[in-house]
């Protein structure tokens, strides 16, 4: 995968798992998604929903090519899809090492049936934003190595219908205003086909709402579900989350507190950005339900905690809590854990607090911390996807880290998504394909299902910090709420 950049590279693409067009969808799915291809028909067409997608007028018909029978299961190096029909090249042939789909002529911005901005005969341009600087900064070298490992692997086999993926990355600086600015630049100047938010709930919210105004597909990992005064992300016609939202992870976190820390005092610490308001209320209520009077502290903290970390740590220790539900920035977790004078166990939802960079910075005080994650630890990736480590070594001549695992899984999902959409790729056909997903499993992330909601996550992996190795290890796979 090639990247054009003015700053560091990143491809932590927490994207939706997508499936081929076909029938078997739940009632209302056709109305729920902006799209162009007819639901339930192989090779069918209907007027596109461009007005719903914010494009300002109806798109023409977006047909899908004939393919395998609806309901078929197909397997290949990208994973397994179930429940939909695929066009030519939509099912990856063979086992690991098979091609990613037949090469063919690409769509242009004037492609029949919709908007194919960012798509040519030879390339598909994708815009990604993430916080490489700011309070949630992550190692630049890790991302530079991680980006494009899977894309290189699959592109050597012919790409996606003969098209190579081109990445345009921008650092959003962990700031929603900056995020909107860089997303606007990628859409309006770089002319990307779609946008991907790699981390940071406020930044994802800002770019998702901007993308929706212009009908640009936007994918991210699950974050908050709604924001005061702005409404739910699920109401955005172009937004899709590829893992469980914070709200969907509430039962998981509460169950963890109840089973692993029964009878112990607990605390809930949450960032004070308003996008977390709904989740905070639900999580506090759920922890109170399982802990009762043992919930001794619940508070919001600043989004940036470099100055306030010692006082936050002191308050936690003074409360007597032994388990702390944490949902704030990774750098905040590192700063607070370094200031701790007592021993607690941090737990919380995914994804970024379970990265090894947090274990490296926070150990020994985060030993035993448990965070949910859409990707497994390095200890399980070889079993789950044996192709990853050799591909990473080939590209980088170095051993991988867990940011590499996350990026590999996300690029793999995006590759399957583009392939499932078919040769005639437009923004409308792309989003219609998402709406027809039944079940998709790439072998790295938990399966994704969009037949009921734009929030496609179904489960999470649970990671546990091992300060002996300064890494998170995979405690359990595929836990469902």
């Amino acid at each position: 995968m090639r990247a054009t950049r003015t700053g560091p590279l990143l491809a932590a693409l927490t994207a939706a798992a997508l499936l081929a067009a076909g029938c078997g969808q739940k009632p209302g799915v056709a109305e729920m998604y902006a799209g162009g291809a007819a639901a339930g028909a192989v090779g069918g067409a209907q007027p596109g929903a461009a007005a719903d997608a914010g494009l300002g007028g109806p798109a023409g018909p977006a047909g899908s090519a004939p393919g395998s029978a609806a309901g078929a299961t197909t397997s290949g190096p990208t994973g397994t899809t179930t429940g939909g029909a695929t066009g030519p090249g939509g099912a990856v042939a063979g086992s690991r090492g098979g091609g990613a789909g037949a090469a063919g002529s690409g769509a242009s911005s004037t492609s029949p049936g919709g908007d194919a901005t960012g798509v040519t005969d030879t390339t598909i341009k994708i815009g990604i934003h993430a916080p490489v600087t700011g309070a949630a900064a992550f190692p630049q070298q890790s991302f530079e190595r991680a980006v494009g490992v899977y894309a290189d692997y699959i592109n050597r086999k012919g790409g996606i219908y003969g098209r190579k993926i081109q990445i345009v990355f921008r650092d959003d600086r962990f700031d929603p205003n900056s995020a909107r600015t860089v997303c606007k630049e990628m859409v309006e100047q770089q002319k990307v086909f779609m946008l991907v938010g790699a981390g940071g709930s406020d930044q994802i919210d800002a770019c998702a709402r901007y993308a929706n105004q212009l009908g640009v597909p936007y994918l991210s990992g699950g974050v908050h579900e709604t924001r005061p005064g702005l409404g739910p992300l699920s109401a955005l016609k172009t937004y899709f989350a590829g893992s469980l939202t914070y709200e969907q992870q509430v039962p998981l976190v509460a169950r963890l507190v109840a089973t692993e820390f029964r009878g112990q005092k607990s605390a809930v610490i949450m960032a004070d950005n308003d996008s977390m308001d709904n989740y905070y209320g639900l999580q506090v209520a759920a922890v109170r339900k399982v802990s009762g009077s043992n919930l001794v502290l619940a508070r919001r903290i600043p989004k940036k905690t470099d100055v306030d970390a010692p006082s936050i740590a002191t308050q936690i220790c003074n409360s007597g809590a032994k388990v702390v539900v944490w949902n704030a920035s990774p750098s905040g977790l590192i700063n607070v854990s370094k200031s701790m004078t007592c021993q607690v166990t941090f737990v919380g939802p995914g994804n970024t607090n379970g990265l090894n960079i947090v274990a490296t910075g926070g150990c020994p005080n985060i030993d035993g911390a448990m965070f949910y994650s859409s990707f497994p630890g390095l200890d399980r990736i070889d079993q789950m996807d044996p192709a990853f480590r050799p591909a990473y070594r080939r590209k980088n001549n170095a051993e991988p880290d867990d940011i590499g695992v996350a990026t590999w899984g996300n690029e793999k999902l995006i590759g399957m998504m583009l392939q499932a959409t078919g040769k005639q790729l437009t923004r409308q056909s792309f989003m219609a394909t998402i709406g027809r997903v039944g079940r998709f499993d790439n072998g790295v992330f938990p399966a994704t299902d969009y037949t009921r909601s734009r929030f496609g996550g179904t489960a999470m992996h649970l990671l546990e910090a091992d300060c002996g190795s300064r890494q998170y290890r995979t405690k359990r796979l595929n836990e469902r709420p």
Side-chain angles (χ1 to χ4, degrees), residues 38-65:
V42 178
Q46 68 180 21
D52 285 346
L55 296 177
S64 57

Side-chain angles (χ1 to χ4, degrees), residues 235-321:
L236 304 181
K237 299 296 186 181
T238 67
Y239 175 76
F240 304 92
S243 61
L244 291 177
T245 65
Y246 295 147
E247 284 90 336
Q248 289 173 324
Q249 293 178 67
V250 163
L252 289 174
V253 175
R255 188 167 67 219
L256 189 63
V257 172
T259 57
E260 300 280 344
F261 306 95
R262 184 181 301 275
Q264 297 186 34
K265 292 182 178 180
S266 60
V268 178
I269 305 295
M270 208 76 56
D272 64 2
N273 34 316
D274 64 0
S275 62
M276 304 288 280
D277 288 355
N278 186 58
Y279 166 68
Y280 176 73
L282 293 173
Q283 191 69 80
V284 169
V287 173
R288 181 174 286 117
K289 184 175 181 179
V290 300
S291 294
S293 60
N294 280 327
L295 177 58
V296 294
L297 174 64
R299 65 160 291 185
R300 311 292 292 274
I301 64 173
K303 186 175 179 178
K304 297 181 180 181
T305 59
D306 48 342
V307 174
D308 300 304
S311 64
I312 296 168
T314 297
Q315 188 174 17
I316 292 171
C317 289
N318 288 344
S319 74

Side-chain angles (χ1 to χ4, degrees), residues 67-211:
S68 60
T73 299
T74 60
S75 299
T78 54
T80 302
T81 63
T82 306
T86 58
V92 179
S95 59
R96 284 185 296 275
S105 61
S108 69
S109 60
T110 58
S111 181
D115 179 1
T117 298
V119 180
T120 72
D121 287 353
T122 57
T123 62
I124 305 169
K125 188 182 288 189
I126 297 173
I128 305 165
H129 68 97
V132 175
T133 59
F138 295 115
Q140 176 180 340
Q141 186 182 57
S142 289
F143 290 122
E144 289 179 337
R145 289 177 172 177
V147 64
V149 172
Y150 179 77
D152 287 352
Y153 167 80
I154 208 68
N155 284 345
R156 289 195 301 270
K157 305 175 188 304
I160 307 296
Y161 293 95
R163 300 183 180 112
K164 303 299 174 65
I165 307 302
Q166 181 181 9
I167 294 294
V168 178
F169 172 71
R170 296 294 183 263
D171 175 13
D172 63 32
R173 303 176 185 175
F174 199 54
D175 176 78
N177 292 326
S178 177
R180 184 180 176 89
T181 296
V182 298
C183 285
K184 183 176 181 180
E185 186 262 331
M186 287 189 287
V187 169
E188 299 180 22
Q189 297 180 34
Q190 297 294 327
K191 305 295 184 183
V192 298
F193 172 73
M194 59 179 284
L195 289 169
V196 179
S201 59
D202 284 355
Q203 294 75 252
I204 286 171
D205 187 284
C207 279
R209 296 183 191 278
Y210 162 76

